[in-house]
Amino acid sequence: MSKIRIAVLVSGGGTNLQAVIDQIERGNIPAVIEMVISNRKDAYALERARRHGIESIYIGSKNFPNLKERNYRLEKILEERKIDLIILAGYMQILEGHIIEKYRNRIINIHPSLIPSFCGQGFYGEYVHRAVLEYGVKLTGATVHFVDEGADTGPVILQKAVEVQEEDTVESLAKRVLTLEHELLPLAVKLFAEGRLMVEGRKVRIKGGYSIGETGFNQCIR
Ligand code: GRF
């Protein structure tokens, strides 16, 4: 099977990036990460990329103060590297409309809640888990979805739920949800790379079915 070419966009610690790298290195995903791009210079995700011999660059407000130029640079790199799939793995910046249009159904994002709950404007990082706890829902989880022009509104690829415990704090909940993210994101990338994701309107059909439990993609990442 030929390998797809991936760009991973990050802003932070990069544990989701690590989950994808690990599964590619284990030979479970027919893909190669061409480039890791961060909009934060000090993102630990950049260090993770370096350790695995993956090219990484910073494209942010310090080297590209002009937003238009920043987006142009980003688009140029994606084009030059002939990227098939863009992964937003904790990327804290809105992608420019032209890129979304050009890579329709080829950009995926991981969100730490069960979309359409606790998502959209302002729901990122720990704000998501705080809102979950304040609302008092009994279930939350993680969602991988394709990116469209809205905030967390694109077609859902995979979801998995986790119970909210009475003694949960923002930190404990974030940690449990992150474990799900590390399972779901590589699985979604694998399904994409194998050409098994069929987008029909809002719905994503998975060719051949799938079973999250059987992937062995649940692992502990620090
Ligand atoms: C994750 O919770 C992800 O869902 C959110 O940002 C966090 C990124 O974590 N969008 P990491 O950088 O992958 O460790």
Side-chain angles (χ1 to χ4, degrees):
M1 190 176 281
S2 63
K3 293 183 176 180
I4 63 156
R5 301 160 70 88
I6 295 176
V8 186
L9 274 54
V10 295
S11 302
T15 61
N16 279 293
L17 164 69
Q18 188 71 54
V20 175
I21 291 174
D22 290 351
Q23 296 304 340
I24 290 175
E25 287 186 349
R26 283 175 203 161
N28 292 329
I29 305 174
V32 54
I33 300 178
E34 277 293 315
M35 181 73 96
V36 169
I37 303 166
S38 174
N39 69 328
R40 285 195 40 197
K41 217 175 171 146
D42 59 350
Y44 185 66
L46 290 171
E47 175 59 25
R48 289 183 192 271
R50 268 178 229 123
R51 285 187 185 179
H52 289 267
I54 300 167
E55 208 174 320
S56 60
I57 55 161
Y58 160 70
I59 301 180
S61 56
K62 291 199 175 71
N63 54 358
F64 289 95
N66 181 302
L67 186 61
K68 215 169 160 189
E69 282 173 21
R70 202 183 312 162
N71 281 316
Y72 182 75
R73 181 76 193 109
L74 186 60
E75 198 178 333
K76 264 268 149 301
I77 286 182
L78 297 171
E79 212 175 274
E80 282 163 15
R81 299 299 172 117
K82 298 186 169 53
I83 295 302
D84 300 302
L85 175 68
I86 302 168
I87 303 175
L88 308 185
Y91 188 58
M92 303 293 222
Q93 193 168 287
I94 303 287
L95 268 191
E96 197 252 332
H98 185 241
I99 297 179
I100 294 174
E101 176 69 45
K102 194 164 156 190
Y103 290 87
R104 175 89 50 209
N105 297 334
R106 293 196 293 144
I107 309 173
I108 63 177
N109 181 45
I110 177 89
H111 183 78
S113 79
L114 293 174
I115 289 176
S117 289
F118 306 105
C119 61
Q121 285 297 331
F123 285 97
Y124 62 90
E126 65 178 41
Y127 294 109
V128 177
H129 306 297
R130 181 160 296 129
V132 163
L133 291 175
E134 277 170 8
Y135 198 98
V137 290
K138 305 292 186 193
L139 282 177
T140 185
T143 304
V144 186
H145 64 95
F146 283 114
V147 172
D148 67 6
E149 283 76 3
D152 301 325
T153 55
V156 170
I157 302 169
L158 294 173
Q159 288 186 306
K160 194 170 178 183
V162 69
E163 283 181 19
V164 180
Q165 310 291 344
E166 274 179 26
E167 60 278 12
D168 261 327
T169 60
V170 168
E171 291 72 30
S172 67
L173 196 55
K175 203 170 157 197
R176 278 214 310 295
V177 171
L178 200 55
T179 308
L180 298 185
E181 295 179 43
H182 298 158
E183 198 179 336
L184 290 190
L185 184 61
L187 177 56
V189 176
K190 175 185 166 71
L191 293 169
F192 181 96
E194 292 174 351
R196 291 166 62 192
L197 298 181
M198 307 289 148
V199 186
E200 295 165 2
R202 274 214 56 81
K203 293 184 186 158
V204 180
R205 201 162 53 77
I206 298 171
K207 259 208 286 190
Y210 72 99
S211 168
I212 289 175
E214 287 167 23
T215 57
F217 278 14
N218 41 342
Q219 52 175 335
C220 182
I221 293 163
R222 285 167 218 280

